[in-house]
Amino acid sequence: MSSNPTSAGEISELLEIMARLRDPQGGCPWDREQDWHSLVPHTLEEAYEVADAIERQDYQALPGELGDLLFQVVFYARIGEESSAFDFAAVVRELRDKLIRRHPHVFSDLKLEDQAHQARLWDEIKAQERSGRQNRADVSDNVLGSVPANFPSLTRAAKLGRRAARLGFDWDGIDGVLDKVHEELGELRDELTDPIDLDRAEEELGDLLFSIASLARHLGVDAETALRRANRKFERRFLEMDRLMKVDGLEPGQDQREAMEDYWARVKAGEP
């Protein structure tokens, strides 16, 4: 493997900038106050902004968004160095070693028979990694334990289903999942009696959402991506409905429900 001297120099400069931002004397007050926990919401936000730029195909904005995400990594590494836990070089080494370890068919003489062989090999390597971490108190030793609990719920549901499917606990096809979605919808409907037991209704709604995440998995669709797409579509249509109504001298509101439905239908009909 080769390295680019210019890139290495730029990384060193980036690390130096981060050190100055965290400097107790002349650094930035906001940057100095941050710790592991306070950075997490920012990291998640930056990751979603990367995803948003890609989904909007805004590739001119993507380098900046990726830079913001990289900054989070550099920030964590700086805190790690200050606490003598690890530094940026350790992050790079961990990534390098993991990539090589998980791709023996690329970095060794191992030959893959087919995609199924690659999937089995991947599972074996991940199992070995989990086994190597079992002595850590913060790592669960159950077969689903490596799915982070703080993942977005739809993403985690899909990953839990995928892990269970590898052990043979899954539907045979999409029809079975669709039947499950209808079953869960019926169970939710059964709970919507007067008075509604909100706790039971919430539980059944969760089961419905989990089954929908399983449907997305069987379709090969990322549920979070699908929902973000639906959100953008709703926002686009609603804003266009609002614009058209105001052109006609109407203001969206509770007293304009019927008109809003009509304008909404016009917006939908006008889309390709």
Side-chain angles (χ1 to χ4, degrees):
M1 291 186 232
S2 62
S3 61
N4 185 317
T6 302
S7 296
E10 289 170 345
I11 288 293
S12 295
E13 184 180 7
L14 178 60
L15 297 176
E16 291 172 5
I17 291 172
M18 186 71 253
R20 286 195 62 183
L21 290 173
R22 290 280 293 182
D23 184 84
Q25 304 302 322
C28 169
W30 186 89
D31 290 289
R32 290 200 307 262
E33 291 176 359
Q34 304 313 305
D35 58 24
W36 306 111
H37 301 285
S38 67
L39 284 180
V40 170
H42 302 286
T43 306
L44 295 174
E45 179 180 336
E46 299 300 352
Y48 278 118
E49 290 184 2
V50 168
D52 182 65
I54 293 172
E55 289 168 7
R56 288 185 290 103
Q57 299 184 14
D58 189 354
Y59 302 122
Q60 289 188 330
L62 189 55
E65 300 297 353
L66 288 169
D68 291 342
L69 188 57
L70 175 60
F71 176 70
Q72 299 297 307
V73 177
V74 171
F75 210 142
Y76 286 116
R78 181 61 197 174
I79 295 175
E81 186 171 356
E82 291 169 357
S83 61
S84 300
F86 62 87
D87 57 12
F88 186 78
V91 175
V92 174
R93 286 194 299 271
E94 286 281 345
L95 175 59
R96 176 201 63 197
D97 294 347
K98 181 184 293 185
L99 289 173
I100 294 174
R101 182 173 66 250
R102 292 186 177 181
H103 297 84
H105 53 291
V106 176
F107 299 103
S108 75
D109 296 330
L110 178 69
K111 301 299 181 184
L112 291 177
E113 301 169 4
D114 49 31
Q115 288 188 345
H117 181 197
Q118 182 176 4
R120 291 195 304 273
L121 179 63
W122 182 268
D123 287 341
E124 291 170 3
I125 293 171
K126 293 292 291 291
Q128 291 171 3
E129 291 175 352
R130 287 195 298 270
S131 177
R133 298 195 299 264
Q134 291 311 309
N135 58 342
R136 284 175 43 190
D138 60 331
V139 177
S140 172
D141 61 357
N142 70 67
V143 69
L144 301 177
S146 60
V147 181
N150 58 352
F151 266 13
S153 295
L154 285 175
T155 297
R156 189 164 193 264
K159 286 185 175 291
L160 288 170
R162 193 173 297 117
R163 295 287 171 85
R166 290 176 184 173
L167 299 176
F169 190 74
D170 200 9
W171 294 273
D172 292 331
I174 290 178
D175 286 344
V177 192
L178 281 171
D179 289 342
K180 185 63 175 177
V181 170
H182 287 293
E183 175 189 327
E184 297 297 351
L185 180 59
E187 292 181 2
L188 174 59
R189 189 184 300 275
D190 290 341
E191 291 298 329
L192 304 183
T193 57
D194 190 20
I196 296 176
D197 184 332
L198 290 180
D199 185 64
R200 288 287 304 157
E202 181 183 80
E203 181 179 349
E204 295 300 343
L205 178 60
D207 291 344
L208 175 60
L209 290 171
F210 190 93
S211 63
I212 288 174
S214 296
L215 177 59
R217 174 172 57 85
H218 275 258
L219 289 171
V221 171
D222 178 73
E224 288 283 344
T225 301
L227 184 54
R228 285 198 299 272
R229 183 177 178 181
N231 288 341
R232 288 197 303 273
K233 180 168 64 176
F234 176 84
E235 183 179 30
R236 181 182 69 245
R237 288 176 173 176
F238 193 92
L239 292 177
E240 179 62 8
M241 177 195 72
D242 176 68
R243 186 189 71 80
L244 290 176
M245 290 185 68
K246 287 178 177 175
V247 167
D248 291 341
L250 298 174
E251 192 71 29
Q254 291 290 340
D255 59 340
Q256 296 289 347
R257 290 286 297 276
E258 187 173 342
M260 291 168 71
E261 292 290 346
D262 290 340
Y263 278 87
W264 180 269
R266 285 172 53 185
V267 171
K268 286 184 64 176
E271 291 184 342

